Amino acid sequence: MVAQAEAVSKQPRQSAEYWRWVAAVGPALVLYWAPLPGLNAQQRHLLAIFTGTILAMMTQPMPVGACAFSAITVLALTNTLPAGRVLSGFANPVTWLIFSAFLFARAVISTGLGLRTAYWITQRFGGHPITLGYSVAASNVVLAPFIPSDTARGGGVLYPITRSLARCFDSEPGPTGGRMGAYLNLVGFHVNYVASATFLTSMAANPMIASFARKIAKVDVTWGTWLLGSSLPALLSLLLVPVLLYWLQPPSIRDTGRARRMAADKLAEMGPMSGREWILVVILFAVMAGWVTSNLHWVSNALVAVSGVTALLLCRIVTWDELLEQRGAWDALVWFAPILMMSDALLETGVVGVLSGALFAPIGAMAVVPAFLLLTGAYFYAHYGFASQTAHATALYPGFLTAAVGAGVPPMVASLALAFLSSLDAGITHYGTGSAPVYFGAGFVSQGTWWRVGFWVSVLNLLIWLGIGPLWWKLVGLW
Amino acid sequence: MVAQAEAVSKQPRQSAEYWRWVAAVGPALVLYWAPLPGLNAQQRHLLAIFTGTILAMMTQPMPVGACAFSAITVLALTNTLPAGRVLSGFANPVTWLIFSAFLFARAVISTGLGLRTAYWITQRFGGHPITLGYSVAASNVVLAPFIPSDTARGGGVLYPITRSLARCFDSEPGPTGGRMGAYLNLVGFHVNYVASATFLTSMAANPMIASFARKIAKVDVTWGTWLLGSSLPALLSLLLVPVLLYWLQPPSIRDTGRARRMAADKLAEMGPMSGREWILVVILFAVMAGWVTSNLHWVSNALVAVSGVTALLLCRIVTWDELLEQRGAWDALVWFAPILMMSDALLETGVVGVLSGALFAPIGAMAVVPAFLLLTGAYFYAHYGFASQTAHATALYPGFLTAAVGAGVPPMVASLALAFLSSLDAGITHYGTGSAPVYFGAGFVSQGTWWRVGFWVSVLNLLIWLGIGPLWWKLVGLW
């Protein structure tokens, strides 16, 4: 009886789901059987299963992890890849770097350190709407190295704070939204993905992107290299985006004293920092030191992260039981490992080279600068068609990077530009990344305004990251 | 405030924990620095970290998974093994076979299929105390291929049933225990680990043991080989152990009609089999067919299991969310992968060969049969010192197998005998495996009786598995 009742409650929404399956599996089946010039059967099968997986990640007939797990099975059962190879993603250090970062996020959020940091910055610097916006931005950036998900950072820590700040000014979605809420809502959203672009560990797909860059463009993008490349452009974005938003969506209230007082009250309520928070701060600083100095020692970024998790366990900041309950971390593990493995296999078997050569043949004849702008622009605005940064980066980054390097763009410039745009493209829609529906769903801003603002912010970001970025990377010797 | 309250509630039991650490880390530190004849520095470091991990699994200053995760970190940070190698256990198909088996267990238990099977068998065959015991045994064996943990099988499914059956006869721990409860309690416990010995997938360490056998004795122990080897001895154990227990702990009630009626009532209460249960039955039969026929096709046991999990996901018998909540499966993943990797590394670097050669030198001079009996007997009764079958098998199986093969025991005989004893040794104490504290803790039997009964059952099992076993394996052509 129990089992039956369960069965009924779990009846899927049959018809909608059916179409999701068709949209994912249909193209995969066609690719699997249709002869493609330049690809042999094994390459075609691999491409077909990869395409089906990426489409399934977008249409989601099942959760993303279940799609990835199924992809492993299909790859092995069709003998497209040997069984040992399909599991290799689980032994990839990149997978465990991502897994570890999810546990840092857990520790930062569960100890209250994340909230405390944001309140402290707000109380200290939130004296004007723009500096209040900067406070949100600064909080985001401080937490970003250890929270590799803009959904966790935005939804889990900073979105609730921007809502509370708006409430200080009696600004709710609707007529009072213009007082402060709409402005803070937009700032919160747009600085969030800029923070994702800033650190190797602030977005789950970033370590994967760095490993693509290593394999395709032969450039070593460590944690430190990434930050060196992002530092000036990120600073400019975080300084200018809140100003642009202030101009596009001006708050009618200018005195933000109430927000500072609320933050001070919250801090008082939290009391002094606990011993666990102090230990966590020490561990996180040690981890970051290990990352920043990675060219001075032999300990890889992933091993630094895994050591940090071990320290969290030894100091009981996160217990083993809590770790086992981190569904997000396990989900990422089972989701990323197959994707990484498939992307690697596509590269190694030459599929990316063949496809990129065929699709981007006209680019090869162009001058370097127009080719660079065309490729990066196309890569960026292709995100109007994606609901996930990881799906976008997995599907397009290797091909676009191959094309850019082929067109003569310096490998490091191509790698970094496309890497940063993989996060920055999240701002153009209300579905482009996990935090977008959270902020948009608050209801402060209409969809038209959201897209219009998103477009102008994207222009500013592209000017900064594509215009000033390469000059900065030249200046600091990255190319 | 919240964080502080949490910190207080999580204060560990400091002093007891301190000694657990000393007991695990102390010997490891000594081994790490003390020169051992025949081992170079890397081998010694590997042995030290492995020993520390096994000791930590026994003293448990942290949960087993946290110990294994820390071991990975220490191995990599001390440069004992390269970072790529320490993660290799996560790409080992054996790890995913174990992981998959945990998800089968989840499906069998959560759909109610496990309970239904046990009630059906009891209602059908439970006409006398001994056949009631056989019903418990048969239920255990039917579920065993898909529940790779005697704790889950015993504690999760069958222990509650034996308690309910005892209750039918108003037999509770204490004066009324002798009516039926004590007998059923002992039967439930002793048939449980016999079922663990019966299938490759009925105990979590079995697949690991099979992979040791492949590497050390060069024999291919597939799912089918394992079952062929265990079939007759398991049948004899399951027939004779309940009879021996009937003699050692005779129940005073002989008419078991009430137990059959209770089972019938429970079945009526459950109603007819749900669609989900039917689908699950089909998937489980398909998986078992894939395992049994593995010498007829190229799909490995692990790939069959992973395909089964994919089928469970596609048919929504287990949803992705439920899978993410399977702490036992994640725990096994993070626990087994490092252990497997370290055991492999000990074998590959020759540490097992050196140690086994040094410790078992006198055995080499003995005749084959006494050497076989001495090694298997020592391996078996060494379990008085272990609280975990996996810790025992991981620490001792490779060395004892190397010694047995070195002493001239036919490789398949040595591999299978030690493999089966790795489960059968669980019966001698009240702490020898996860289900032991559950059954013992019910309080039907005193500790003295528990050990005395355990000893006599062990004698019977050794006579069957070491006396008749090798003859049977010869008869069916395994050696």
Side-chain angles (χ1 to χ4, degrees):
Chain A
M1 289 302 213
V2 174
Q4 276 186 314
E6 244 179 46
V8 171
S9 77
K10 283 191 183 142
Q11 283 297 338
R13 312 123 296 156
Q14 295 284 356
S15 63
E17 198 184 286
Y18 175 78
W19 287 109
R20 290 160 188 258
W21 279 113
V22 170
V25 177
L29 283 177
V30 172
L31 267 177
Y32 194 90
W33 300 111
L36 268 186
L39 296 181
N40 64 28
Q42 192 224 0
Q43 290 174 318
R44 219 172 54 223
H45 296 172
L46 184 57
L47 179 65
I49 296 166
F50 175 76
T51 306
T53 311
I54 296 292
L55 289 174
M57 282 172 63
M58 297 169 71
T59 64
Q60 299 207 9
M62 297 194 292
V64 170
C67 298
F69 194 86
S70 306
I72 283 188
T73 313
V74 174
L75 280 170
L77 282 181
T78 57
N79 234 333
T80 302
L81 291 175
R85 183 79 177 86
V86 300
L87 295 171
S88 62
F90 292 106
N92 192 326
V94 172
T95 305
W96 291 92
L97 175 56
I98 296 166
F99 179 82
S100 301
F102 273 92
L103 296 178
F104 295 139
R106 153 79 196 192
V108 167
I109 295 172
S110 75
T111 55
L113 185 64
L115 272 180
R116 183 188 297 279
T117 306
Y119 284 130
W120 186 83
I121 292 175
T122 305
Q123 174 228 269
R124 188 81 185 69
F125 301 107
H128 178 272
I130 288 185
T131 58
L132 195 56
Y134 287 162
S135 300
V136 174
S139 305
N140 226 316
V141 169
V142 169
L143 299 177
F146 303 107
I147 308 190
S149 150
D150 72 349
T151 317
R153 220 163 49 231
V157 181
L158 286 158
Y159 170 74
I161 292 182
T162 55
R163 280 306 300 268
S164 304
L165 290 174
R167 210 163 288 135
C168 292
F169 305 98
D170 297 318
S171 178
E172 296 288 341
T176 60
R179 288 185 191 163
M180 181 61 73
Y183 169 72
L184 282 180
N185 184 265
L186 285 169
V187 169
F189 172 64
H190 287 283
V191 299
N192 194 356
Y193 61 78
V194 174
S196 295
T198 307
F199 304 96
L200 180 73
T201 45
S202 54
M203 202 263 279
N206 287 354
M208 182 179 74
I209 288 170
S211 92
F212 288 151
R214 198 165 301 126
K215 283 182 184 146
I216 298 169
K218 320 284 178 212
V219 293
D220 194 21
V221 182
T222 62
W223 202 89
T225 313
W226 186 292
L227 180 58
L228 188 59
S230 68
S231 52
L232 181 69
L235 188 68
L236 291 174
S237 273
L238 294 169
L239 284 174
L240 298 179
V241 167
V243 175
L244 175 63
L245 292 172
Y246 191 79
W247 185 69
L248 291 171
Q249 183 72 46
S252 59
I253 293 179
R254 301 295 155 100
D255 174 20
T256 56
R258 275 191 276 184
R260 295 176 77 165
R261 280 193 297 280
M262 185 207 75
D265 289 348
K266 289 280 186 186
L267 275 177
E269 207 177 282
M270 292 180 95
M273 264 175 80
S274 70
R276 288 178 76 215
E277 280 175 276
W278 278 115
I279 297 171
L280 177 58
V281 167
V282 170
I283 293 173
L284 294 182
F285 269 104
V287 165
M288 209 194 293
W291 283 337
V292 172
T293 60
S294 65
N295 56 336
L296 303 178
H297 53 74
W298 61 271
V299 185
S300 70
N301 289 167
L303 180 51
V304 167
V306 167
S307 305
V309 170
T310 303
L312 292 179
L313 288 169
L314 288 172
C315 300
R316 292 174 185 263
I317 305 300
V318 174
T319 67
W320 187 249
D321 273 352
E322 287 166 341
L323 185 148
L324 290 180
E325 275 156 21
Q326 292 312 300
R327 302 153 42 99
W330 299 117
D331 199 12
L333 179 77
V334 181
W335 168 25
F336 265 94
I339 293 287
L340 269 174
M341 174 272 299
M342 280 192 270
S343 307
D344 279 359
L346 282 171
L347 281 176
E348 283 163 24
T349 55
V351 177
V352 172
V354 171
L355 284 188
S356 182
L359 293 174
F360 296 116
I363 305 264
M366 293 171 69
V368 170
V369 173
F372 174 67
L373 295 178
L374 193 66
L375 283 169
T376 48
Y379 181 78
F380 186 94
Y381 287 108
H383 201 66
Y384 276 113
F386 282 90
S388 151
Q389 290 172 289
T390 305
H392 182 178
T394 314
L396 303 186
Y397 186 92
F400 276 78
L401 180 56
T402 307
V405 173
V409 179
M412 186 58 100
V413 173
S415 299
L416 289 182
L418 290 168
F420 299 141
L421 297 194
S422 302
S423 287
L424 298 170
D425 57 17
I428 52 182
T429 65
H430 57 295
Y431 51 73
T433 182
S435 67
V438 176
Y439 280 97
F440 175 72
F444 278 109
V445 175
S446 73
Q447 188 182 321
T449 307
W450 189 270
W451 279 51
R452 187 176 50 81
V453 168
F455 178 76
W456 288 117
V457 173
S458 79
V459 171
L460 175 60
N461 275 327
L462 287 180
L463 284 174
I464 293 170
W465 293 76
L466 296 182
I468 299 171
L471 304 177
W472 168 245
W473 308 331
K474 185 80 189 172
L475 192 70
V476 295
L478 285 175
W479 61 287
Chain B
M1 289 299 211
V2 174
Q4 276 186 313
E6 245 180 46
V8 172
S9 77
K10 286 193 181 136
Q11 282 297 335
R13 311 124 300 155
Q14 294 283 357
S15 64
E17 195 184 288
Y18 174 77
W19 286 108
R20 291 159 187 259
W21 278 113
V22 170
V25 176
L29 284 176
V30 172
L31 267 177
Y32 194 92
W33 300 111
L36 267 187
L39 296 180
N40 63 29
Q42 191 224 0
Q43 291 173 318
R44 218 171 55 226
H45 295 172
L46 184 56
L47 178 64
I49 296 165
F50 176 76
T51 306
T53 311
I54 297 291
L55 289 174
M57 281 172 64
M58 296 169 71
T59 64
Q60 299 208 11
M62 297 195 293
V64 170
C67 297
F69 194 87
S70 305
I72 284 188
T73 314
V74 174
L75 280 170
L77 283 180
T78 56
N79 234 334
T80 303
L81 292 175
R85 183 78 176 88
V86 300
L87 295 172
S88 62
F90 292 106
N92 192 325
V94 173
T95 305
W96 292 91
L97 175 56
I98 296 166
F99 179 81
S100 301
F102 273 92
L103 296 178
F104 294 140
R106 154 78 196 191
V108 167
I109 295 172
S110 76
T111 55
L113 185 64
L115 272 181
R116 183 189 296 279
T117 306
Y119 284 131
W120 186 82
I121 292 176
T122 306
Q123 175 228 271
R124 189 83 185 67
F125 300 107
H128 178 272
I130 289 186
T131 58
L132 194 57
Y134 287 162
S135 301
V136 174
S139 306
N140 226 316
V141 169
V142 170
L143 299 177
F146 304 108
I147 308 190
S149 150
D150 72 349
T151 316
R153 218 162 51 232
V157 180
L158 286 158
Y159 171 74
I161 291 181
T162 55
R163 281 308 299 270
S164 304
L165 290 174
R167 211 163 286 134
C168 292
F169 305 97
D170 297 319
S171 178
E172 296 287 340
T176 61
R179 287 184 193 165
M180 181 62 74
Y183 170 71
L184 282 180
N185 184 265
L186 285 169
V187 169
F189 172 62
H190 287 284
V191 298
N192 193 357
Y193 61 77
V194 174
S196 295
T198 308
F199 303 96
L200 180 73
T201 46
S202 53
M203 201 264 279
N206 287 353
M208 181 179 75
I209 287 170
S211 92
F212 289 152
R214 198 166 299 127
K215 284 182 183 144
I216 297 169
K218 320 286 179 212
V219 292
D220 195 22
V221 182
T222 63
W223 202 89
T225 313
W226 186 291
L227 179 59
L228 188 59
S230 69
S231 51
L232 181 69
L235 189 68
L236 290 174
S237 274
L238 294 169
L239 284 175
L240 297 179
V241 166
V243 175
L244 175 63
L245 293 171
Y246 190 78
W247 185 69
L248 291 170
Q249 183 73 46
S252 60
I253 292 180
R254 301 293 155 101
D255 173 21
T256 55
R258 275 190 277 183
R260 293 176 77 166
R261 281 193 297 281
M262 184 207 79
D265 290 350
K266 289 281 185 186
L267 275 177
E269 206 177 282
M270 291 179 97
M273 266 176 78
S274 70
R276 287 177 78 215
E277 280 175 277
W278 278 116
I279 297 171
L280 176 58
V281 167
V282 170
I283 294 173
L284 294 182
F285 270 104
V287 165
M288 210 194 290
W291 283 338
V292 172
T293 59
S294 65
N295 56 336
L296 303 178
H297 53 72
W298 61 271
V299 185
S300 70
N301 289 168
L303 179 51
V304 168
V306 167
S307 305
V309 170
T310 304
L312 292 178
L313 289 169
L314 288 173
C315 300
R316 293 174 185 264
I317 305 300
V318 174
T319 67
W320 187 250
D321 273 353
E322 287 165 341
L323 185 148
L324 291 179
E325 275 158 19
Q326 293 311 300
R327 301 155 41 101
W330 299 116
D331 199 11
L333 180 77
V334 182
W335 168 25
F336 265 94
I339 292 287
L340 270 174
M341 173 273 298
M342 279 193 270
S343 306
D344 279 357
L346 282 171
L347 282 175
E348 283 162 24
T349 55
V351 177
V352 171
V354 171
L355 284 189
S356 180
L359 293 174
F360 295 115
I363 304 261
M366 293 171 71
V368 170
V369 173
F372 174 67
L373 295 179
L374 192 68
L375 284 169
T376 48
Y379 182 76
F380 187 94
Y381 288 107
H383 201 66
Y384 277 113
F386 281 90
S388 150
Q389 291 172 287
T390 303
H392 182 176
T394 313
L396 302 186
Y397 186 91
F400 276 76
L401 181 56
T402 307
V405 172
V409 180
M412 184 59 97
V413 172
S415 300
L416 289 182
L418 290 168
F420 299 141
L421 298 193
S422 302
S423 287
L424 298 171
D425 57 16
I428 51 181
T429 66
H430 57 294
Y431 51 74
T433 181
S435 67
V438 176
Y439 280 97
F440 175 72
F444 279 107
V445 176
S446 73
Q447 190 183 321
T449 307
W450 188 270
W451 279 50
R452 188 175 50 81
V453 168
F455 178 75
W456 288 117
V457 173
S458 79
V459 171
L460 174 61
N461 276 327
L462 287 180
L463 284 174
I464 293 171
W465 293 78
L466 296 182
I468 298 172
L471 303 178
W472 169 247
W473 307 332
K474 184 78 188 174
L475 190 71
V476 295
L478 286 175
W479 61 285

